[in-house]
Amino acid sequence: MSGPIFEKIALVGIGLIGSSLARVIRREKLAGHIAISTRSAATLDRAEELGLGDSYSTDAAEAVKDADLVIISVPVGSSGEVAAQIAPALKAGAIVTDVGSTKRSVIAQIEPHMPANVHFIPGHPLAGTEKSGPDAGFADLFENRWCIFTPLPGTDAAALEKLSEFWRRCGSDIDTMDPEHHDMVLAIVSHLPHIIAYNIVGTADDLEAVTKTEVIKYSASGFRDFTRLAASDPTMWRDVCLHNKDAILEMLARFSEDLASLQRAIRWGDGEKLFDMFTRTRAVRRSIIEAGQDIDVPDFGRQAIEHPDVLAAQPKS
Amino acid sequence: MSGPIFEKIALVGIGLIGSSLARVIRREKLAGHIAISTRSAATLDRAEELGLGDSYSTDAAEAVKDADLVIISVPVGSSGEVAAQIAPALKAGAIVTDVGSTKRSVIAQIEPHMPANVHFIPGHPLAGTEKSGPDAGFADLFENRWCIFTPLPGTDAAALEKLSEFWRRCGSDIDTMDPEHHDMVLAIVSHLPHIIAYNIVGTADDLEAVTKTEVIKYSASGFRDFTRLAASDPTMWRDVCLHNKDAILEMLARFSEDLASLQRAIRWGDGEKLFDMFTRTRAVRRSIIEAGQDIDVPDFGRQAIEHPDVLAAQPKS
């Protein structure tokens, strides 16, 4: 299938995700018209400089007028406000979706505002980098990444299929889940890792015995990996913490229990237990590489970028 | 300066570090003869198949005979055993060094065995990947990485300079530190990140509500970054935990305190505190990139490997 899927697509929010969508929509010719809206005039100007859309407005209601597909790509805490703004201007039969990393809260915020003649289908593309803003997006962001829908009961099958087709043509694979389960899965695979990364970088930044200069200078020994995640957008992550609280607190409690047990093994010099704990995790890594969810080059490929000959020389494992 | 620095170099241990040394010594012509020793006959055979050295022996004492430089590259817990084995065979005036990630313990294990006519200079190149074994090494591993010496009182200046010259020609920058401080710095920049990574992967692996398949399938959302560190050599990391216990327990205690405070902010919905915590960490990341300790391409450069056009398109930040 080719040709535009929608006559007009409105993108509300033009950060990493919104601007990547704009780029892939353009490249794949998925829409006749791309309308871009964001609250910040400076960000909107930048989107226009980058030529990301066909029309630009700081008024979301203006942007969604006549749109067949509306994609809300804002920090999850702003979902309700955006929904209230756009609701009166939505076209009958339009599909409204979002990209938020928490689904129960987003549904609770958006659904009450949606007119009966609009198809609201909550969605979440599992894609991103530590960069943010309209400059950070790129058309390949969604390629071979999952897009999870958490459809509400009674969702129109034709609308769901049309939205699925849209995401497939952005390069994604589609999955569906109920919102509660989505929030639990994301708490462990995404939210907890980010929170832990933010925390360890904070701990290092607070030390007196080791200087900040030393932390920076010797960071390549492991620490720098955490700083990448901890460089992600603070507004986005504040909102995730506030809007997926229960699942995150559950995962944090489990993590802390496990850490206490590991700490005890270190204190008591239980080498056998440490060895067992450090061995089972290798199998998880292997499965992730087999599932195509990460590349099997050492050091995430940093070496390959700095020294292209290394990649060629590595044995296939 | 060019030409061999040492007539004969003996490498005791031929894993990621030892085999990378073998490769760079050969490439840079730093020795007239490379003698390789490791306990495992299978690993030694593999090193020979790879052509890493000029002579091979499972007997470390045999390998170090007549060597001007001996580099011990074994898990830190085996340092004492290796030192006892090689001590009687060491040449007068030889330099003995190691590459271990804990220095107080390594000194305590090796120093008592060293004859008075030998220069023992503890060292630690801050370089590695999550891969292990003789196949995983590569000649560029030490390029632009720090090598830290923790010299004992009364260390011969000429010997220290000769060893420094060796590491500089391997591509490294040299630093010196006292062993206690080294162990504290490494506890935060390397040991804690690895322990946390092992722990989170263990927590995820234990869940019942989220299946293992889901953890793998959706790991690209952040979790996969931790699995890389958690795929590192379990023997090496068991030994690090057992041999840098005090500094690691101190860092773990601080990390857990900070995490409890973050957890409280999530439970009580303190968005301002979360935003502040998630903002200050960005500065640390920026400093690391400015210090040349990581590459400033999104997602560690994974995107650049999968889609080479992305790297070219990214704005310089």
Side-chain angles (χ1 to χ4, degrees):
Chain A
M1 183 175 158
S2 65
I5 305 179
F6 297 100
E7 191 47 50
K8 177 178 173 183
I9 296 180
L11 301 174
V12 182
I14 196 71
L16 170 68
I17 301 294
S19 74
S20 294
L21 279 168
R23 287 171 170 99
V24 68
I25 291 167
R26 182 84 82 192
R27 189 187 68 188
E28 300 299 319
K29 303 184 175 63
L30 304 179
H33 181 103
I34 303 172
I36 292 178
S37 175
T38 184
R39 272 195 309 194
S40 148
T43 307
L44 194 69
D45 284 350
R46 183 62 191 148
E48 191 163 2
E49 272 170 43
L50 292 167
L52 295 176
D54 300 301
S55 63
Y56 303 88
S57 173
T58 51
D59 178 3
E62 168 74 23
V64 305
K65 231 181 113 186
D66 301 320
D68 309 286
L69 173 65
V70 175
I71 308 180
I72 303 172
S73 311
V74 299
V76 291
S78 306
S79 309
E81 195 188 325
V82 167
Q85 267 183 300
I86 64 172
L90 289 168
K91 177 181 168 180
I95 297 173
V96 176
T97 189
D98 77 304
V99 301
S101 190
T102 69
K103 297 268 63 88
R104 276 182 309 176
S105 158
V106 164
I107 292 170
Q109 289 178 75
I110 295 182
E111 200 194 8
H113 296 288
M114 289 297 108
N117 61 1
V118 154
H119 306 290
F120 169 49
I121 305 174
H124 180 205
L126 305 192
T129 76
E130 72 276 25
K131 309 276 178 172
S132 40
D135 281 288
F138 50 96
D140 284 322
L141 181 62
F142 308 107
E143 209 171 294
N144 296 321
R145 300 272 71 100
W146 291 102
C147 182
I148 303 177
F149 295 128
T150 59
L152 302 169
T155 294
D156 181 72
L160 183 58
E161 176 46 33
K162 204 169 173 185
L163 186 60
S164 301
E165 178 61 16
F166 169 80
W167 276 106
R168 278 193 291 266
R169 286 185 54 197
C170 290
S172 295
D173 296 314
I174 305 300
D175 239 330
T176 59
M177 240 179 236
D178 73 65
E180 289 74 18
H181 191 66
H182 168 278
D183 288 0
M184 184 65 88
V185 171
L186 268 290
I188 186 71
V189 297
S190 174
H191 306 169
L192 185 63
H194 279 83
I195 289 166
I196 295 302
Y198 278 118
N199 195 67
I200 197 172
V201 177
T203 302
D205 204 33
D206 277 344
L207 293 174
E208 328 74 34
V210 178
T211 66
K212 280 190 216 304
T213 321
E214 286 173 319
V215 168
I216 304 301
K217 190 169 166 185
Y218 306 121
S219 62
S221 336
F223 181 71
R224 65 173 175 180
D225 289 358
F226 288 78
T227 65
R228 186 186 76 83
L229 290 179
S232 302
D233 184 25
T235 307
M236 171 184 164
W237 284 99
R238 176 200 62 197
D239 281 9
V240 166
C241 288
L242 298 175
H243 291 266
N244 196 22
K245 189 168 96 168
D246 297 343
I248 288 173
L249 288 176
E250 162 72 19
M251 293 306 164
L252 269 173
R254 287 168 178 263
F255 172 86
S256 295
E257 268 173 38
D258 293 344
L259 191 62
S261 160
L262 207 163
Q263 189 165 336
R264 192 171 191 284
I266 293 173
R267 190 176 302 280
W268 291 93
D270 188 344
E272 205 175 321
K273 184 168 181 184
L274 293 170
F275 186 83
D276 288 348
M277 288 172 123
F278 297 168
T279 302
R280 58 185 278 222
T281 50
R282 279 195 147 176
V284 177
R285 177 72 184 165
R286 216 159 25 235
S287 307
I288 286 175
I289 287 165
E290 282 163 12
Q293 294 298 307
D294 205 351
I295 49 176
D296 187 25
V297 291
D299 219 3
F300 296 120
R302 285 184 185 112
Q303 297 287 350
I305 287 175
E306 296 176 292
H307 309 289
D309 52 308
V310 175
L311 191 58
Q314 278 292 316
K316 300 285 168 273
S317 59
Chain B
M1 185 175 156
S2 65
I5 304 180
F6 297 98
E7 191 48 49
K8 177 179 174 181
I9 296 180
L11 302 173
V12 182
I14 195 73
L16 171 66
I17 301 293
S19 74
S20 294
L21 279 168
R23 288 171 171 99
V24 68
I25 290 166
R26 183 84 82 190
R27 190 187 68 187
E28 300 298 318
K29 301 185 176 64
L30 304 180
H33 180 102
I34 303 172
I36 291 177
S37 174
T38 185
R39 272 197 309 199
S40 147
T43 307
L44 194 69
D45 284 351
R46 184 60 191 149
E48 190 162 4
E49 272 170 44
L50 293 167
L52 295 177
D54 300 302
S55 63
Y56 304 88
S57 172
T58 51
D59 179 3
E62 170 73 24
V64 305
K65 230 181 112 185
D66 300 319
D68 309 286
L69 173 65
V70 175
I71 308 179
I72 303 173
S73 312
V74 300
V76 288
S78 304
S79 308
E81 194 187 328
V82 167
Q85 266 183 302
I86 64 173
L90 290 169
K91 178 181 167 180
I95 298 173
V96 176
T97 190
D98 77 305
V99 301
S101 190
T102 70
K103 297 268 62 88
R104 276 182 309 177
S105 157
V106 163
I107 292 169
Q109 289 178 75
I110 294 182
E111 199 194 8
H113 296 288
M114 290 297 108
N117 62 1
V118 155
H119 307 290
F120 168 50
I121 305 173
H124 180 206
L126 306 192
T129 76
E130 71 275 25
K131 309 277 180 171
S132 40
D135 280 288
F138 50 96
D140 285 323
L141 180 63
F142 308 106
E143 208 172 296
N144 297 322
R145 299 273 70 101
W146 291 101
C147 182
I148 302 177
F149 295 127
T150 60
L152 302 170
T155 294
D156 182 72
L160 183 59
E161 176 46 34
K162 202 169 174 185
L163 186 60
S164 302
E165 178 61 17
F166 169 81
W167 277 106
R168 279 192 291 266
R169 287 185 55 198
C170 289
S172 295
D173 296 314
I174 306 300
D175 239 331
T176 58
M177 238 179 238
D178 73 66
E180 290 71 20
H181 191 66
H182 168 279
D183 288 1
M184 185 66 85
V185 171
L186 268 289
I188 186 70
V189 297
S190 174
H191 306 168
L192 185 64
H194 279 84
I195 289 166
I196 295 304
Y198 278 118
N199 194 67
I200 198 172
V201 177
T203 302
D205 204 34
D206 276 343
L207 293 173
E208 326 75 33
V210 178
T211 66
K212 279 189 216 307
T213 321
E214 286 173 319
V215 168
I216 304 301
K217 192 170 165 184
Y218 306 121
S219 61
S221 336
F223 181 70
R224 65 174 174 179
D225 289 356
F226 288 77
T227 64
R228 186 187 77 83
L229 290 180
S232 303
D233 184 25
T235 306
M236 171 186 164
W237 284 99
R238 177 200 61 197
D239 281 9
V240 166
C241 288
L242 298 176
H243 291 267
N244 195 22
K245 189 168 96 168
D246 297 343
I248 289 173
L249 288 176
E250 162 72 19
M251 294 305 164
L252 269 173
R254 287 168 178 263
F255 173 86
S256 295
E257 269 173 37
D258 294 344
L259 192 62
S261 161
L262 207 163
Q263 188 166 335
R264 193 171 190 284
I266 294 173
R267 189 177 302 280
W268 291 94
D270 188 345
E272 204 175 322
K273 183 167 181 182
L274 292 170
F275 185 82
D276 288 348
M277 287 171 124
F278 297 169
T279 302
R280 59 186 277 223
T281 51
R282 279 194 149 177
V284 177
R285 177 72 182 165
R286 217 162 20 237
S287 307
I288 286 175
I289 288 165
E290 283 162 12
Q293 294 298 308
D294 205 352
I295 48 176
D296 187 25
V297 291
D299 218 3
F300 297 120
R302 286 185 185 110
Q303 298 287 349
I305 287 175
E306 295 175 293
H307 309 290
D309 52 308
V310 176
L311 190 58
Q314 278 291 317
K316 299 286 168 275
S317 61

